[in-house]
Amino acid sequence: MGKFIVFEGLDGSGKSSQIELLKKSLTARGEKVHVTHEPTDYETGGYLNRILSGRESKDIHLQAALFLADRIEHATHPEHGIKKYLSEGYTVICDRYYYSSLAYQGADPDCDYEWVKTLNLGCPKLPKPDLCIFLDVNPETCKGRIDAGRDNVELYEQSAVQMSGIRRGFMTVLEDLKNNYGHNIVIIDGGGDIDDISKEILNYV
Ligand code: TYD
């Protein structure tokens, strides 16, 4: 069985770069690595992308349910699913997983945190990650990177104030899952030198 590693963090926190560097290091050691992301490229992910881009507006509970559906597809897809790769001995590195659902939807005051938690942690089809790495970067810095990088600003990237609220949500979620559900979670300061951060991540992995 391969190991399942999840990266979490705000948009603009540098997850993609660090995932690429980790993939390189593990591949150089002879490991089989599969990199994947949520929302997915399946139909469920397409629906979510329409909501995230602001083309469709949907109730936050519906968002949580759609992210769950997308995640089940992601885990169980017979050809490209996470479980299939894990069973073949791949290290699976996933850009976002249910920690995001708990922080973005569950921690929203209009939603119900316990419900989103039960949906995700209680779903028998979703593998529990072996490690979750949260890249912690100042929300102002993240917002600046998003604005410099592209024109379309998504639903959860509207302002540094909104993103600070999401970061606080993440902190509560990560503490809850670490302390009460035995999740292996590390919070890494993502504000420093890219190669130093990569070495620190490799150490934990
Ligand atoms: P992101 O990692 O930014 O993907 P991309 O680089 O393709 O834009 O994720 C898209 C957004 O989806 C991000 O703002 C967080 C949000 N999201 C949730 O709100 N709940 C979830 O369960 C997941 C997986 C993502």
Side-chain angles (χ1 to χ4, degrees), residues 11 15 38-39 52 67 71 95-97 100-101 104-105 154 156:
D11 294 297
K15 286 180 281 108
E38 294 188 3
L52 292 167
F67 275 112
R71 188 162 296 128
D95 187 343
R96 296 193 185 280
Y97 196 55
S100 279
S101 284
Y104 286 83
Q105 283 73 49
E154 290 192 337
Y156 294 109

Side-chain angles (χ1 to χ4, degrees), residues 88-182:
E88 290 174 358
Y90 280 81
T91 297
V92 175
I93 306 177
C94 189
D95 187 343
R96 296 193 185 280
Y97 196 55
Y98 49 42
Y99 308 94
S100 279
S101 284
L102 271 65
Y104 286 83
Q105 283 73 49
D108 187 295
D110 291 332
C111 201
D112 183 327
Y113 177 69
E114 292 301 323
W115 176 69
V116 178
K117 190 161 76 180
T118 305
L119 281 182
N120 282 278
L121 298 193
C123 176
K125 292 292 176 179
L126 300 180
K128 182 179 175 181
D130 293 293
L131 175 65
C132 168
I133 294 164
F134 181 83
L135 276 185
D136 196 17
V137 176
N138 181 317
E140 303 263 354
T141 309
C142 293
K143 178 64 178 146
R145 287 179 185 166
I146 292 165
D147 291 345
R150 50 192 153 92
D151 303 332
N152 58 319
V153 174
E154 290 192 337
L155 185 64
Y156 294 109
E157 309 167 339
Q158 298 294 318
S159 67
V161 172
Q162 180 199 32
M163 292 172 71
S164 295
I166 294 167
R167 181 185 172 274
R168 279 196 299 279
F170 259 122
M171 290 304 146
T172 309
V173 167
L174 299 180
E175 209 172 280
D176 180 20
L177 267 58
K178 194 172 175 171
N179 296 339
N180 304 319
Y181 297 87

Side-chain angles (χ1 to χ4, degrees), residues 50-89:
R50 291 202 299 280
I51 297 169
L52 292 167
S53 66
R55 273 175 288 154
E56 280 187 44
S57 173
K58 293 292 176 192
D59 178 86
I60 192 116
H61 300 81
L62 179 54
Q63 288 182 39
L66 285 169
F67 275 112
L68 175 72
D70 191 43
R71 188 162 296 128
I72 295 173
E73 180 81 309
H74 196 195
T76 62
H77 192 281
E79 286 155 57
H80 310 292
I82 293 172
K83 285 189 178 200
K84 179 186 174 265
Y85 281 103
L86 291 173
S87 71
E88 290 174 358

Side-chain angles (χ1 to χ4, degrees), residues 39-52 55-56 70:
T40 66
D41 298 325
Y42 300 113
E43 260 182 69
T44 39
Y47 191 175
L48 283 163
N49 280 323
R50 291 202 299 280
I51 297 169
L52 292 167
R55 273 175 288 154
E56 280 187 44
D70 191 43

